[in-house]
């Protein structure tokens, strides 16, 4: 089969466990980098959205003239991450035109994540700021270039989320695992330990992969800088890009 024709085939969603587990790994990996520095999640936008609500509520606290009307740095960073994540997810609409299960789109969409992660690494390299903060009121990232890096990190997970969502597997979006946890706990086959149950096993793999990603990310971050840690992440994501080439195609329906 010619290469282009092969790239235009649909992947079999039931055979995508490996790259989607790697997506979950990258969620933990990327999130731990941002949380370690500024206590903001690049992928878990529920917390960032709630933080912005708190920032608005703060405007009405206390007596008039004595209210805190400052848009705190942490709130600015949460807003930056939220907007960038959604812009990244919007980029994923390209896949709706190409075909969300087309191999060419899964390869291209993951490569976009590579480019975004690379851009983030360069921004943090140029920013020359610390990688880890031990106090919420003392963020490690404060200058403009770190906002650029945060934006690219968040956008990369936005693209990843829409790719994972469109495949409609047990891995969900590969970003937020709250739903995965709920579905795992309510799975009718949860305690059939001697049987292979895809609905249960893939959710467990998703959770473990995210945990491992956060563990590995923090371990590397402790030894290296933010830029270097993201540089390693570029390599991981490049491997995931190539992995989509080897996922089996959907079998043609019998006529």
């Amino acid at each position: 089969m010619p290469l282009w024709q092969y790239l235009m085939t649909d992947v079999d969603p039931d055979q995508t466990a490996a790259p989607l587990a790697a997506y979950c790994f990258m969620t933990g990996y990327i999130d731990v980098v941002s949380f370690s520095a500024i206590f903001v999640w690049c992928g878990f936008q529920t917390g960032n959205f709630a933080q912005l609500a708190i920032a608005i509520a703060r405007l009405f606290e206390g007596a008039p003239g004595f209210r805190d009307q400052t848009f705190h740095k942490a709130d600015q960073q949460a807003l930056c991450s939220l907007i960038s994540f959604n812009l990244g997810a919007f980029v994923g609409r390209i896949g709706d035109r190409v075909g969300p299960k087309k191999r060419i789109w899964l390869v291209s969409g993951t490569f976009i994540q590579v480019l975004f992660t690379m851009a983030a690494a360069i921004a943090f390299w140029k920013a020359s700021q610390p990688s880890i903060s031990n106090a919420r009121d003392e963020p490690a990232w404060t200058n403009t270039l770190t906002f650029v890096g945060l934006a690219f990190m968040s956008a990369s997970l936005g693209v990843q989320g829409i790719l994972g969502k469109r495949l409609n597997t047990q891995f969900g979006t590969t970003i937020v695992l709250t739903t995965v946890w709920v579905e795992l706990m309510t799975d009718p086959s949860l305690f059939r330990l001697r049987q292979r149950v895809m609905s249960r096993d893939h959710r467990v793999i998703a959770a473990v992969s995210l945990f491992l990603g956060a563990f590995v990310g923090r371990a590397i971050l402790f030894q290296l800088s933010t830029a270097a840690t993201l540089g390693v992440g570029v390599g991981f994501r490049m491997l995931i890009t190539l992995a989509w080439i080897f996922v089996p195609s959907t079998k043609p329906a019998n006529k």
Side-chain angles (χ1 to χ4, degrees):
M1 180 184 296
L3 177 59
W4 180 253
Q5 185 178 346
Y6 177 71
L7 291 174
M8 290 304 294
T9 58
D10 286 356
V11 301
D12 183 354
D14 292 336
Q15 303 294 324
T16 58
L20 291 181
Y23 271 3
C24 293
F25 177 93
M26 290 308 303
T27 297
Y29 189 94
I30 295 293
D31 268 320
V32 80
V33 173
S34 62
F35 189 82
S36 295
I38 58 175
F39 304 96
V40 167
W41 305 108
C42 286
F44 304 151
Q45 296 302 329
T46 302
N48 294 338
F49 199 44
Q51 183 175 334
L52 294 174
I54 294 173
I56 295 174
R58 194 187 301 123
L59 299 175
F60 304 97
E61 296 175 354
F66 296 92
R67 294 171 179 171
D68 183 0
Q69 296 184 323
T70 305
F71 193 31
H72 296 181
K73 183 71 69 174
D75 302 329
Q76 298 173 28
Q77 291 163 333
L79 179 61
C80 173
S81 180
L82 177 64
I83 293 174
S84 302
F85 180 91
N86 283 302
L87 288 175
F90 189 80
V91 170
R93 295 176 68 92
I94 297 173
D96 294 336
R97 294 182 175 273
V98 177
K101 298 179 183 179
K102 295 290 185 186
R103 194 181 309 276
I104 185 65
W105 166 239
L106 293 168
V107 170
S108 300
T110 308
F111 188 67
I112 291 173
Q113 299 167 43
V114 172
L115 296 178
F116 283 174
T117 309
M118 186 182 300
I122 294 172
F124 284 113
W125 173 52
K126 292 293 186 180
S128 300
Q129 290 210 300
S131 303
I132 298 175
S133 171
N134 294 317
R136 286 181 178 270
D137 58 348
E138 296 180 3
W141 303 342
T142 56
N143 64 25
T144 302
L145 279 174
T146 59
F147 275 84
V148 174
L150 176 64
F152 276 115
M153 289 169 63
S154 301
S156 74
L157 288 181
V159 177
Q160 175 187 304
I162 194 66
L163 265 69
K165 177 63 177 177
R166 288 292 191 260
L167 288 172
N168 194 29
T169 68
Q170 308 299 333
F171 287 86
T173 64
T174 72
I175 301 292
V176 181
L177 297 191
T178 303
T179 302
V180 171
W181 280 115
V182 172
E183 292 174 343
L184 175 62
M185 292 301 105
T186 58
D187 194 304
S189 302
L190 179 61
F191 297 108
R192 297 178 183 174
L193 303 181
R194 296 184 179 181
Q195 299 179 13
R196 294 182 60 185
V197 182
M198 182 181 295
S199 61
R200 177 200 62 201
D201 297 347
H202 283 188
R203 288 167 183 148
V204 171
I205 291 172
V208 172
S209 297
L210 189 145
F211 183 91
L212 288 176
F215 178 85
V216 172
R218 177 68 185 209
I220 295 175
L221 185 66
F222 185 76
Q223 297 294 331
L224 305 177
S225 65
T226 299
T229 303
L230 290 174
V232 175
V234 169
F236 286 152
R237 278 187 154 155
M238 195 65 218
L239 291 176
I240 303 171
T241 300
L242 297 175
W244 286 115
I245 298 176
F246 302 100
V247 175
S249 303
T250 301
K251 295 180 180 179
N254 295 326
K255 296 183 179 180

